[in-house]
């Protein structure tokens, strides 16, 4: 029996490498398509504000007239200072950082928990989480191929992932000793910066940190409690300061005009809960292959990359730990997801925009994958693992996995690759139009007429109205008096 169980484990590195390659292909294709990204919609407004007012003037302008997202506007203005040449590389840079940060975080966790082949397992987990998160979302163009969308919500998740990895590293480094003042200052500053990226990220962050503090208070004998508690408290302070600055921004009153009237507390609670459960149901209903992959691959990894424990006393402790983890993580995922929908209804009186759903989707995929991995680990503890029919279960699980890979990342790679030519042609058309505008400027023209580009990142383009907000912003960006677009 032991030999039958151990044989697949000997082949685990080959299994992991094969799955990593399959999952990496669509991510690489996403990065390649990002090369054809150009300015669209709100990008012209941020670029125009920089051209009109400079860096600090742009920060003041946005804070007074639109939003208190101080970190977001600082970040996007810094990127705008590089210019349009930075945009084609944003997707591949952000995806690479996101993947590296997630793999680093998982490797630290797997090393602590003695998972076999931590480098391969963490890389596999990072590729799986990122692929499923991105493929589960609508309007992927607004998330990956639009500067404004990419530097808001995905950028937050990248910073959040790296910050969590840094937190784990600091906890391991200090052991049972309290964190130093430098470490506490780092936690405060990171939390403050991340909190200023968006309202949804700030609320989720505060909920996440508060839950961590509550766990440390309820369970005072947890390892590393002294180190974690101080770091959590300073991170909470940084998040609270960012939230206060964001909430007090005069621009909130200007932006509130476009939203419906804020609902009362009862309607706010009901609508946010209703849309949370709709979000969960839609993922299962519309993406069953991705859900199955999110359950199956971590489960198999838990079976193959962990060692069984045979002592009954140790098994009893593992059972208690896993039961507590399941109950606490269920409460945590509910609160974390709900915070995203709650703040959206509070600020906008509506469901979060599709591009903002990348935050709850990312958290959901991580938790589902974690539950599945722990289930595989726990099942591995049973030496009598379906002894009489092990071969049958190996074939069944292998067949289901192959089907999920075929209909998941392999099919996704084909679909993504089929959009390359369209993305390239739109980018060439944008570059051609940009050259014409700049040639007109060189001739001394102040009012320019160009053509409208359809399906530009599925966000829209200039209009025939020179007073349309994108037209005005583009005119500022190019230092023109007006710019209009007509159909070819």
């Amino acid at each position: 029996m032991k030999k039958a169980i151990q044989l697949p484990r000997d082949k685990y590195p080959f299994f992991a490498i094969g799955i990593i390659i399959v999952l990496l292909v669509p991510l690489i294709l996403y990065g390649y398509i990002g090369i054809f990204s150009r300015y669209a919609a709100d990008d012209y407004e941020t670029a125009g504000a920089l051209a009109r007012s400079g860096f600090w003037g742009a920060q003041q302008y946005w804070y007074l007239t639109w939003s208190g997202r101080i970190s977001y506007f600082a970040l996007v203005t810094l990127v705008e200072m590089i210019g349009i040449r930075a945009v084609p590389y944003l997707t591949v840079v952000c995806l690479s950082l996101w993947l590296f940060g997630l793999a680093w975080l998982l490797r630290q966790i797997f090393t602590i928990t003695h998972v076999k082949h931590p480098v391969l397992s963490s890389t596999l987990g990072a590729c799986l989480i990122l692929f499923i998160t991105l493929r589960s979302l609508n309007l992927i163009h607004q998330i990956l191929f639009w500067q404004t969308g990419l530097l808001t919500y995905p950028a937050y998740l990248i910073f959040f992932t790296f910050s969590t990895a840094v937190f784990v590293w600091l906890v391991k480094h200090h052991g049972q000793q309290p964190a130093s003042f430098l470490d506490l200052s780092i936690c405060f500053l990171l939390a403050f910066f991340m909190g200023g990226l968006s309202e949804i990220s700030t609320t989720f962050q505060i909920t996440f940190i508060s839950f961590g503090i509550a766990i440390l208070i309820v369970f005072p004998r947890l390892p590393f409690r002294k180190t974690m508690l101080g770091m959590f408290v300073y991170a909470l302070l940084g998040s609270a300061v960012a939230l206060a600055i964001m909430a007090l921004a005069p621009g909130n009153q200007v932006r509130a005009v476009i939203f419906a009237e804020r609902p009362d507390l009862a309607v706010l609670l009901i609508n946010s809960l209703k849309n949370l459960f709709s979000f969960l149901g839609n993922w299962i209903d519309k993406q069953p292959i991705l859900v199955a992959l999110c359950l199956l691959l971590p489960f198999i990894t838990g079976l193959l990359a962990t060692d069984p424990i045979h002592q009954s006393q140790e098994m009893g402790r593992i059972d208690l730990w896993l039961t507590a983890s399941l109950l606490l993580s269920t409460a945590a995922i509910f609160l974390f997801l709900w915070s995203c929908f709650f703040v959206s209804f509070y600020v906008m009186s509506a469901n979060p925009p599709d591009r903002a759903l990348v935050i709850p989707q990312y958290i959901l995929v991580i938790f589902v994958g974690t539950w599945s991995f722990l289930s595989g680990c726990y099942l591995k503890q049973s030496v009598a693992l379906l002894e009489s029919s092990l071969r049958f279960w190996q074939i069944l699980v292998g067949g289901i996995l192959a089907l999920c890979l075929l209909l998941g990342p392999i099919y996704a790679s084909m679909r993504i690759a089929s959009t390359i030519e369209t993305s390239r042609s739109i980018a060439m058309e944008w570059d051609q139009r940009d050259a014409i505008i700049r040639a007109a400027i060189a001739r001394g023209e102040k009012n320019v007429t160009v053509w409208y580009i359809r399906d530009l990142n599925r966000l829209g383009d200039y209009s025939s109205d020179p007073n349309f907000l994108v037209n005005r912003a583009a005119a500022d960006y190019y230092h023109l008096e007006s710019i209009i677009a007509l159909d070819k």
Side-chain angles (χ1 to χ4, degrees), residues 256-304:
V257 175
I258 67 174
F259 300 137
E261 184 178 353
R262 184 170 296 163
D264 58 39
L265 182 59
V267 176
L268 179 63
L269 293 174
I270 293 172
N271 285 343
S272 59
L273 285 171
K274 180 176 68 176
N275 281 275
L276 167 59
F277 288 113
S278 296
F279 165 75
L280 296 174
N282 285 336
W283 187 48
I284 297 172
D285 179 52
K286 296 181 179 179
Q287 306 289 352
I289 297 298
L290 297 180
V291 176
L293 201 60
C294 190
L295 290 169
L296 194 57
L297 267 178
F299 181 80
I300 294 174
T301 303
L303 281 175
L304 300 182

Side-chain angles (χ1 to χ4, degrees), residues 120 371 384:
L120 280 177
W371 291 334

Side-chain angles (χ1 to χ4, degrees), residues 104-349:
W104 180 36
L105 173 60
L106 292 177
R107 182 180 180 181
Q108 294 187 83
I109 295 173
F110 288 161
T111 302
I112 294 172
T113 54
H114 305 292
V115 173
K116 299 293 183 181
H117 308 288
V119 175
L120 280 177
S121 298
S122 59
T123 304
L124 172 59
C127 293
L128 178 68
I129 290 170
L130 196 52
F131 167 75
I132 293 180
T133 297
L134 295 176
R135 289 301 295 175
S136 298
L137 299 166
N138 298 320
L139 301 179
I140 192 69
H141 282 72
Q142 293 189 17
I143 298 166
L144 285 185
F145 311 127
W146 181 34
Q147 177 181 264
T148 297
L150 185 59
L151 295 180
T152 308
Y153 306 108
Y156 170 76
L157 294 176
I158 295 169
F159 282 111
F160 176 78
T161 302
F162 269 98
S163 297
T164 307
V166 170
F167 178 85
V168 174
W169 183 84
L170 289 174
V171 169
K172 287 171 54 183
H173 176 72
H174 285 285
Q176 302 295 337
Q177 300 300 318
S180 66
F181 178 74
L182 176 61
D183 297 333
L184 298 177
S185 301
I186 291 173
C187 290
F188 178 90
L189 293 174
L190 282 175
F192 173 77
F193 174 80
M194 293 189 301
L197 287 171
S198 76
E199 295 83 0
I200 290 178
S201 60
T202 310
T203 308
F204 159 72
Q205 186 171 296
I206 290 175
T207 306
F208 179 86
I209 297 170
S210 300
F211 189 86
I213 293 175
I215 293 296
L216 294 177
I217 293 175
V218 174
F219 301 100
R221 295 184 179 180
L222 285 174
F224 313 114
R225 181 179 183 273
K226 290 182 180 179
T227 304
M228 290 192 293
L229 186 58
M231 294 168 68
F232 270 138
V233 168
Y234 271 74
L236 183 62
L237 289 174
S239 304
V241 172
L243 178 63
I245 294 174
M246 190 179 299
L248 295 173
N252 293 333
Q253 302 301 320
V254 179
R255 190 167 56 139
V257 175
I258 67 174
F259 300 137
E261 184 178 353
R262 184 170 296 163
D264 58 39
L265 182 59
V267 176
L268 179 63
L269 293 174
I270 293 172
N271 285 343
S272 59
L273 285 171
K274 180 176 68 176
N275 281 275
L276 167 59
F277 288 113
S278 296
F279 165 75
L280 296 174
N282 285 336
W283 187 48
I284 297 172
D285 179 52
K286 296 181 179 179
Q287 306 289 352
I289 297 298
L290 297 180
V291 176
L293 201 60
C294 190
L295 290 169
L296 194 57
L297 267 178
F299 181 80
I300 294 174
T301 303
L303 281 175
L304 300 182
T306 56
D307 285 324
I309 299 173
H310 302 292
Q311 294 83 356
S312 59
Q313 182 179 5
E314 191 70 19
M315 281 292 293
R317 287 204 299 267
I318 291 176
D319 179 65
L320 180 61
W321 180 81
L322 287 175
T323 302
S325 299
L326 177 62
L327 293 175
L328 289 173
S329 61
T330 302
I333 187 62
F334 173 78
L335 289 174
F336 298 163
L337 296 179
W338 185 33
S339 67
C340 298
F341 290 86
F342 181 88
V343 71
S344 176
F345 269 94
Y346 180 79
V347 173
M348 301 186 299
S349 303

